[in-house]
Amino acid sequence: MGGREVTGRLLAQRKQSLQFTFHPGPSLSNMAVCYACLTLLALGSARVGSADSMADRLPLEPYDRLFSMAVDAYYRDDWQGVILNMERALQNRAALRRAKIHCRAECSHKMKFSIANSSHDLFMDMNYFHTVLRKADCLKVCEGERLGPHSLHHISEEVQLEFHKRTPYNYLQVAYFKIKMLDKAVAAAHTFFMVNPDHLEMRQNLEYYKMMAGVKDADFKDLEAKAHMEAFRQGVRLYTDEQFKHSIRFLENALEEYFKANAECRALCEGPYNFDGYNYMEYNADLYQAITDHYIQVLGCKQNCVTELAIRPDREAPIEDFLPTHLDYLQFAYYNSENYSQAIECTKTYLLFYPNDEVMNQNLQYYQAVLGDELSRHLTHREDIQTYIANSLLEKELLYFANEIFGVTFIDPDKWTPESVIPVKLKAKQKAERETAARISEEIGNLMKEIENLVDEKTKESSEIVKMVKEGGPLLFDSVQVVMNARLLNGTQRVLLDGVITDEECQEMRYLSNAAASLGDGYYGRPSPHTPNERFQGVTVLKALKLSQKGTIPLKTSRLFYDVSEKVRRIIESYFRMETPLHFAYSHLVCRTAVEGMQDKREDLSHSVHVDNCILNSEALECPKQHPAYTERDYSAILYLNHDFEGGNFIFTEIDAKVITAMVNPKCGRVVAFSSGAENPHGVQAVTKGQRCGVALWFTLDPTQKERERIEADDLVNMLFGMEEELQPDEGDVKEPVPTDHRSNDVPTDHRPSDVPTDHRSSDVLTDHWSSERPAPEPIHKPQDGAEPAGDAAEQETEVKGSMTEGSKVPEHMIKTMEPAPTVPDTKSTAALNIPSTKQEL
């Protein structure tokens, strides 16, 4: 037994003595120590016995390792290996989650806090920390027995994101299809599609499966469905069909499952402290500051469970007022089933959330009148929900206090929170923010009107941008010079610049590419995303800054990356005479290295000919601007860092992707910049020897499409380097408005007699109050917003290279065309992680 455990046991035993028999004196102290030692010996023996019984138990295998093994098997066409390892990865991830929930719940139940009945603060503190130590010990033992060493289960954010996006099911649907287990293939495909509704290939696959013999409707099931959400949706369906008695069973079950899921979600919040925004090496809070920071973070997470449980997998926005909505459905379902007692109970419970709700108070009066005062007098609300509300309000008060005193951000997820809980200063601040948001919204509306013509043009041929933008503006820096303009490059909206950065800066950026970049960065860990003959490694601006924050690389190096990208942006904005500012859409330092032994008779391209903001169909000589292309991109640029490699020239081609119109030979400090539309198809010739490095940059004229990582990078630069060094913001940057509640305060009234109960949903029988106060009757039937997911970093690295020839031909086998994809999932690229579909062919 370690010293820390001995100390904890001694403290525990001594504290028990202090709680029950506090009589100061040396004899008691000696007795307490002796008693503690005897207890420790007994507990130590029990622990040894437990260890012996665990000797043969293997620790839970980390699910990230199994996921990696499954991906390796996938690229070997080992479909059984894919299924075995990917299913185990999903099972072990679920087992890890269950173990953490069980241990935290069990230890919280066993080790409850209690305050010693003493006037001495010392003993109260010791009692509190004694319980903390016992809980920590309980968790360590419980998780150790179930999971093995804690270090086994440190899962990277990238892998966690893959499971959050259900990428494993993409692999599984292909593997099951290959071994002709259609029912499982269909279930895996449907499960993946539920959180990726814009994935075109998977949509085609599902349509294909529907036409296959032997596939049943029951096979299309969500394997990751939440029990409370499924029960709620089924209850709402039955309610809408006016099958009220049947709907009650599902809605009551949804409530029961909701509170189970809520308890699990809250238990998972009690994890390690998230140092996001801090350099943990420099974090020097004292005892109570550290406790406060961690505890407030945990409380914020627990409050956010409200949002987490109200989100459906196919929608980003949660169902508003999810818990009160259950009660609203139930009160009217019970009324239609003539169960007035339960109708009263649900109505009174709903009024705990909204005590001044006029419609619900009218319903309550009606139910009481029908049932009679004698029977209805003793009926009250549900105690478990009253406890839930009371606990939630206490947490909100603490979080609002932390917001007011310490500046900790807290966004209340509930609309029912009484105003009395919100601090007066915060209410005044929120009012000012709402007014500011309204003003900004108006300004944005005016701005959008001004650029409406530009937005319309972006849906047409990108070449028409030439009519609005002129070349040849100032270069801003004396060292920068134009080597070739658009005419010399045989195209439009193109330019080749030299002297953008110095040789020393190129060397510093090369150092960054080797010190901070990781294989497959931006490509979901795939080291060879475009060709098996080359390996890619990369790093983003934000990642580099965070590595500097941790002390992994020098601050000046990551700051150089940040400054260089901004310098290129300013040059391009000026040279092409932009009437509106350019914003970063994506930035990536990437190096591609030729794989030795694989270059003989090589005939492929390092990156096939493509267009940055539309889907190039070289056979049809067209490039439609539509999803999944990155239609928001307006300009592209590549800053080269070296020339000591072979091959790797950047090429412009005609829209047929065959005739080369210009070629650029990379070298340090050289930039090739161009508009991102169909007027500039481009690609990269094979790198046959050495390593080719460059900074790939994409820009947008649409301020709403500005890269979120860049905004975080701006904030981090400000924090690390101070306001005096912060770059001036773009003139066109538009502050995003603070979300406001657009619901009407005027509740529509029902003109029927007041003695008839009112449902919040039906417009023909019931009050229309619901339409302005709450979600639609059946949230699951609302039209999909169609929000397009952010572009995958795996697709972002698209431009590169240069030297110059005319009229050259690209060999036919080197051209990647955008042919109509068959719906049969018969190639590995279908499941090649959750990347935009232009990179996946079925």
Side-chain angles (χ1 to χ4, degrees):
M1 184 177 294
R4 182 179 299 176
E5 292 182 68
V6 172
T7 304
R9 301 294 186 192
L10 285 171
L11 238 174
Q13 247 353 99
R14 183 172 296 177
K15 191 59 197 147
Q16 289 175 5
S17 300
L18 289 172
Q19 283 182 320
F20 301 110
T21 54
F22 178 63
H23 300 291
S27 59
L28 175 64
S29 177
N30 293 333
M31 288 174 64
V33 171
C34 292
Y35 180 62
C37 291
L38 291 172
T39 306
L40 281 170
L41 289 173
L43 291 173
S45 300
R47 182 74 58 84
V48 170
S50 176
D52 292 339
S53 66
M54 290 173 56
D56 297 328
R57 180 184 294 181
L58 293 176
L60 184 71
E61 188 168 5
Y63 69 85
D64 58 344
R65 183 186 303 167
L66 292 166
F67 177 73
S68 178
M69 292 165 62
V71 173
D72 289 342
Y74 179 84
Y75 287 105
R76 296 194 308 270
D77 291 347
D78 177 9
W79 309 119
Q80 296 288 354
V82 173
I83 293 169
L84 175 65
N85 289 296
M86 201 65 82
E87 291 285 11
R88 287 179 60 205
L90 290 166
Q91 292 168 6
N92 283 16
R93 178 172 180 261
L96 177 65
R97 183 180 187 274
R98 288 195 303 270
K100 289 183 176 181
I101 292 171
H102 169 81
C103 290
R104 290 171 187 175
E106 183 181 64
C107 293
S108 292
H109 179 73
K110 286 182 178 179
M111 315 295 175
K112 294 186 180 294
F113 288 102
S114 60
I115 302 299
N117 186 17
S118 169
S119 60
H120 298 274
D121 291 341
L122 170 64
F123 304 132
M124 295 174 68
D125 283 351
M126 290 180 67
N127 183 67
Y128 171 79
F129 286 108
H130 160 242
T131 306
V132 170
L133 290 172
R134 291 174 64 206
K135 277 194 175 185
D137 180 60
C138 176
L139 284 170
K140 180 181 177 183
V141 173
C142 181
E143 292 187 359
E145 290 176 349
R146 289 172 173 265
L147 303 175
H150 181 67
S151 59
L152 276 179
H153 302 286
H154 288 168
I155 311 297
S156 69
E157 291 182 3
E158 289 81 2
V159 173
Q160 291 183 49
L161 179 61
E162 291 304 319
F163 278 81
H164 179 72
K165 294 190 296 185
R166 301 189 181 181
T167 300
Y169 291 99
N170 200 349
Y171 285 96
L172 283 171
Q173 71 99 12
V174 175
Y176 279 125
F177 177 83
K178 291 291 185 179
I179 65 172
K180 310 206 182 300
M181 296 183 66
L182 291 184
D183 57 335
K184 291 185 177 295
V186 171
H190 182 77
T191 302
F192 174 81
F193 187 71
M194 287 300 294
V195 294
N196 300 278
D198 295 319
H199 198 283
L200 298 182
E201 278 70 23
M202 196 60 76
R203 183 188 297 274
Q204 293 171 351
N205 289 357
L206 289 169
E207 292 299 324
Y208 175 77
Y209 286 133
K210 289 177 183 178
M211 297 184 293
M212 295 184 70
V215 175
K216 303 182 292 292
D217 289 343
D219 295 333
F220 294 84
K221 55 189 175 184
D222 184 1
L223 301 175
E224 296 278 346
K226 301 175 182 176
H228 72 280
M229 187 62 74
E230 288 299 296
F232 176 75
R233 293 174 66 181
Q234 183 60 28
V236 171
R237 288 192 190 101
L238 293 169
Y239 178 98
T240 306
D241 293 338
E242 297 187 0
Q243 299 182 44
F244 297 110
K245 287 187 177 181
H246 296 296
S247 72
I248 289 171
R249 178 168 62 89
F250 286 97
L251 290 170
E252 289 286 11
N253 179 250
L255 267 181
E256 182 181 347
E257 293 294 335
Y258 178 91
F259 284 109
K260 289 180 182 177
N262 183 62
E264 292 177 354
C265 178
R266 292 171 63 86
L268 290 172
C269 287
E270 297 175 356
Y273 182 64
N274 183 1
F275 284 92
D276 188 26
Y278 292 97
N279 184 338
Y280 70 94
M281 297 294 289
E282 298 176 2
Y283 184 73
N284 57 358
D286 63 22
L287 173 63
Y288 293 104
Q289 287 175 330
I291 291 174
T292 298
D293 288 344
H294 199 165
Y295 186 63
I296 292 301
Q297 190 176 93
V298 169
L299 280 187
C301 174
K302 289 183 175 182
Q303 281 285 303
N304 194 55
C305 287
V306 172
T307 303
E308 183 73 21
L309 298 181
I311 291 179
R312 286 179 46 198
D314 55 342
R315 296 190 182 178
E316 295 183 1
I319 300 173
E320 292 182 352
D321 273 342
F322 188 46
L323 185 55
T325 298
H326 287 73
L327 297 162
D328 199 352
Y329 278 113
L330 279 168
Q331 62 91 18
F332 202 75
Y334 277 121
Y335 158 70
N336 280 281
S337 303
E338 299 184 355
N339 189 338
Y340 298 105
S341 298
Q342 288 297 320
I344 290 174
E345 180 184 82
C346 291
T347 304
K348 286 189 173 182
T349 306
Y350 180 92
L351 289 170
L352 293 175
F353 293 99
Y354 293 102
N356 299 320
D357 189 296
E358 181 180 353
V359 173
M360 201 62 75
N361 276 296
Q362 289 178 0
N363 288 0
L364 178 60
Q365 292 174 10
Y366 177 85
Y367 299 148
Q368 290 174 333
V370 172
L371 191 62
D373 291 340
E374 189 67 28
L375 295 176
S376 63
R377 187 180 299 114
H378 70 281
L379 297 175
T380 183
H381 50 255
R382 300 188 178 187
E383 295 296 333
D384 57 340
I385 293 183
Q386 183 185 36
T387 302
Y388 167 86
I389 293 174
N391 182 68
S392 182
L393 289 177
L394 286 173
E395 292 178 349
K396 293 178 193 295
E397 289 178 359
L398 289 173
L399 287 163
Y400 277 123
F401 178 81
N403 174 268
E404 189 175 23
I405 304 301
F406 303 113
V408 178
T409 302
F410 171 55
I411 300 175
D412 195 335
D414 294 310
K415 292 187 176 182
W416 53 264
T417 304
E419 285 198 4
S420 58
V421 175
I422 306 173
V424 176
K425 291 182 180 179
L426 184 58
K427 282 191 284 189
K429 180 182 176 183
Q430 289 176 343
K431 180 181 178 182
E433 287 176 345
R434 285 194 296 269
E435 293 173 352
T436 302
R439 188 184 73 252
I440 292 175
S441 297
E442 183 179 357
E443 292 174 356
I444 290 176
N446 294 334
L447 176 63
M448 295 307 294
K449 289 179 181 178
E450 293 175 4
I451 64 173
E452 184 177 3
N453 291 334
L454 176 61
V455 174
D456 291 339
E457 291 298 328
K458 289 181 68 176
T459 63
K460 304 176 183 178
E461 292 293 334
S462 297
S463 59
E464 295 184 11
I465 295 179
V466 179
K467 299 177 183 177
M468 296 180 286
V469 186
K470 298 180 180 179
E471 300 180 32
L475 297 175
L476 304 181
F477 300 90
D478 294 337
S479 62
V480 181
Q481 54 184 310
V482 176
V483 179
M484 293 180 182
N485 59 17
R487 183 179 61 82
L488 294 175
L489 287 170
N490 301 311
T492 58
Q493 294 291 289
R494 303 174 181 176
V495 68
L496 186 65
L497 307 171
D498 274 353
V500 175
I501 62 175
T502 65
D503 291 344
E504 291 75 18
E505 289 172 331
C506 283
Q507 292 177 6
E508 188 76 10
M509 294 291 286
R510 287 291 303 279
Y511 161 77
L512 175 64
S513 69
N514 289 293
S518 55
L519 277 176
D521 178 82
Y523 305 95
Y524 290 99
R526 293 178 297 142
S528 301
H530 300 308
T531 169
N533 302 310
E534 296 174 23
R535 291 190 177 276
F536 287 68
Q537 62 188 56
V539 63
T540 62
V541 173
L542 181 62
K543 183 177 179 181
L545 288 167
K546 286 186 174 181
L547 289 173
S548 291
Q549 187 183 23
K550 295 178 181 179
T552 305
I553 59 174
L555 278 171
K556 67 182 183 68
T557 303
S558 59
R559 179 60 188 264
L560 174 64
F561 187 9
Y562 178 90
D563 290 343
V564 162
S565 60
E566 172 64 16
K567 183 177 183 180
V568 173
R569 186 198 67 80
R570 292 181 58 196
I571 292 171
I572 295 173
E573 183 180 87
S574 177
Y575 178 81
F576 288 113
R577 300 182 186 276
M578 305 290 176
E579 295 180 1
T580 56
L582 275 182
H583 306 278
F584 287 96
Y586 190 73
S587 313
H588 198 217
L589 168 57
V590 63
C591 294
R592 54 188 76 197
T593 306
V595 178
E596 294 183 4
M598 299 184 65
Q599 305 304 318
D600 292 340
K601 299 180 180 179
R602 181 177 173 185
E603 296 179 345
D604 64 335
L605 292 174
S606 177
H607 198 145
S608 57
V609 175
H610 59 279
V611 177
D612 288 346
N613 69 6
C614 58
I615 302 173
L616 178 60
N617 186 339
S618 59
E619 298 299 323
L621 302 181
E622 63 181 13
C623 195
K625 290 188 69 174
Q626 61 189 33
H627 180 75
Y630 297 102
T631 57
E632 74 278 6
R633 294 178 179 174
D634 293 303
Y635 282 85
S636 310
I638 308 96
L639 167 64
Y640 299 108
L641 303 180
N642 67 317
H643 67 278
D644 53 343
F645 54 87
E646 293 180 7
N649 291 334
F650 177 93
I651 56 173
F652 286 112
T653 75
E654 296 286 2
I655 197 169
D656 63 1
K658 297 176 183 178
V659 178
I660 296 176
T661 59
M663 184 180 296
V664 176
N665 187 22
K667 74 170 190 176
C668 169
R670 173 166 287 177
V671 167
V672 59
F674 48 93
S675 57
S676 303
E679 67 276 10
N680 284 315
H682 56 280
V684 182
Q685 294 181 330
V687 177
T688 56
K689 185 178 181 180
Q691 184 185 67
R692 173 188 184 278
C693 293
V695 179
L697 303 163
W698 293 267
F699 307 97
T700 179
L701 292 167
D702 186 352
T704 66
Q705 297 295 330
K706 185 175 181 180
E707 181 188 13
R708 297 303 164 204
E709 273 206 10
R710 190 70 186 197
I711 297 173
E712 291 185 49
D714 293 341
D715 294 339
L716 194 52
V717 165
N718 180 48
M719 184 182 75
L720 294 174
F721 299 94
M723 289 296 293
E724 69 280 3
E725 295 185 16
E726 186 177 12
L727 292 172
Q728 293 297 321
D730 298 336
E731 294 179 3
D733 283 357
V734 179
K735 181 179 178 183
E736 294 186 357
V738 178
T740 57
D741 187 354
H742 299 291
R743 298 182 305 167
S744 170
N745 291 325
D746 300 321
V747 180
T749 58
D750 192 338
H751 299 290
R752 294 173 303 118
S754 60
D755 60 344
V756 179
T758 308
D759 182 3
H760 283 38
R761 288 171 188 74
S762 174
S763 57
D764 55 345
V765 181
L766 311 170
T767 304
D768 193 30
H769 171 75
W770 184 259
S771 64
S772 65
E773 285 292 319
R774 294 172 188 77
E778 190 175 356
I780 61 172
H781 290 157
K782 286 183 180 177
Q784 174 67 26
D785 293 333
E788 183 174 304
D792 234 67
E795 294 291 308
Q796 305 279 5
E797 206 282 315
T798 57
E799 9 318 285
V800 207
K801 321 326 168 174
S803 185
M804 212 187 118
T805 66
E806 245 180 274
S808 304
K809 295 280 187 179
V810 179
E812 291 281 313
H813 53 268
M814 295 168 65
I815 307 305
K816 178 179 180 180
T817 61
M818 194 62 189
E819 298 179 355
T823 57
V824 183
D826 58 352
T827 68
K828 291 182 288 188
S829 57
T830 304
L833 302 168
N834 184 21
I835 62 178
S837 56
T838 53
K839 295 296 181 186
Q840 302 189 32
E841 298 174 0
L842 287 177

